[in-house]
Each structure stands twice: as structure tokens, then as C-alpha cells.
Amino acid sequence: FGFVFWQPDSIETGPPPYITFNSSGTRSFALLDAAFSPDRVCISEACGCVRCVDSRFGSEIWRYNPPSGNHVLRLMYRPVDGHFYGVQWEYEQGKPRIIARFAGDSGRYEEVCQLNSWCEEFCPDNESLVASIGDVISLADGRIVHRLCFPERDYPDTITA
């Protein structure tokens, strides 16, 4: 695997393991996340697309352009099925986030499920995602496979004895 460098004017490969990406042709101003497979790098751009790039040659394999006002906050590669997964958010109106599946070879988009949370993290097992409300969600089918008992209230700023 390599490191991702954001460079304004070119997509090119540098000496291994470095890859540089460009932002030309996009309205993006920042890289939100990157996920690595054995031979590809998938990147998401703020207010922009998700791109999958060949990690050896730097050539773009596919691109997903989300609906206006959406971007993909997090990305993860799942080796068992060879797909990339992301958390897509409609940031202009704050609509619920969704888990999106991108076919590794074509980028074909599929909605796995809708989320009822404001923050999410992919689990190290590459099989699930933990949502801020405590749901542990299967990436394979979007089912809630476990529920963590997160407190449903704010903690006080000070502790009183």
C-alpha cells in the first residue's frame, strides 16, 4: 500500500509506494477519506466524488458522483467481497446518512441501509460499522447485529462528589 498525496494539477505515480492525485475537473477542496485494496486506492472528496484509482499506474478506474449536496465521509475496503463501502451524507439539509456499497471493479453504487446516527466508524473486522447510537451494522446486508449500550444523555462537565 502507499501514501496519498493531494496535488493540484496531475494524477501520476511517483516512486513506489507513492501516488499523487489531482483535483482538476472537480469542485472539491479537500480529501475526506481514503481506503486501500491490494491494487487500488479509493478516495472521497469534500463536496465531490468518490474515485477509485489503480495504485500501480495511477489511472482512474471508476468515479461515483453523488447527488448534489452529498459526499462520502468515510471509506473502507472489504476483502471478503472486494467492494468499497462508504458513509454518504446529505450535508446541505442534514438528511440521514447511509451506508453505500461500491463494486470494486465498476463502482456500481448500491445503498446498503439508512443510518440513524451522527457519527460512524468502520470496525477493524471489515464486516461491520458502529453507529453513534450503539448499533453495530453488518455491511453485507445492513442488519443490526448487535446493540451497544451507549448512554443516551450528556455527561456533566464537572464531577461532584
Side-chain angles (χ1 to χ4, degrees), residues 46-144:
C47 302
C49 66
V50 174
R51 293 190 280 165
C52 184
V53 178
D54 182 290
S55 60
R56 183 168 174 202
F57 302 107
S59 55
E60 186 172 301
I61 298 168
W62 53 260
R63 178 184 295 228
Y64 166 70
N65 291 303
S68 179
N70 285 257
H71 57 210
V72 176
L73 298 168
R74 301 239 183 265
L75 289 169
M76 193 266 314
Y77 174 71
R78 186 170 175 243
V80 71
D81 61 13
H83 297 319
F84 289 94
Y85 290 79
V87 175
Q88 183 170 304
W89 181 43
E90 199 289 326
Y91 56 85
E92 287 183 347
Q93 297 178 14
K95 292 183 180 175
R97 300 173 188 216
I98 60 163
I99 297 176
R101 178 184 296 125
F102 304 99
D105 58 349
S106 67
R108 183 180 53 83
Y109 169 88
E110 178 183 359
E111 185 176 317
V112 176
C113 69
Q114 188 170 316
L115 299 167
N116 182 22
S117 60
W118 60 93
C119 186
E120 307 80 18
E121 288 293 334
F122 288 106
C123 296
D125 68 0
N126 295 326
E127 294 295 325
S128 51
L129 172 141
V130 176
S132 56
I133 62 169
D135 293 344
V136 179
I137 301 165
S138 165
L139 296 176
D141 57 16
R143 286 182 307 108
I144 297 172

Side-chain angles (χ1 to χ4, degrees), residues 130-136 144 146-153 155:
V130 176
S132 56
I133 62 169
D135 293 344
V136 179
I144 297 172
H146 187 71
R147 190 161 275 138
L148 301 171
C149 296
F150 290 164
E152 295 184 17
R153 63 180 178 81
Y155 289 103

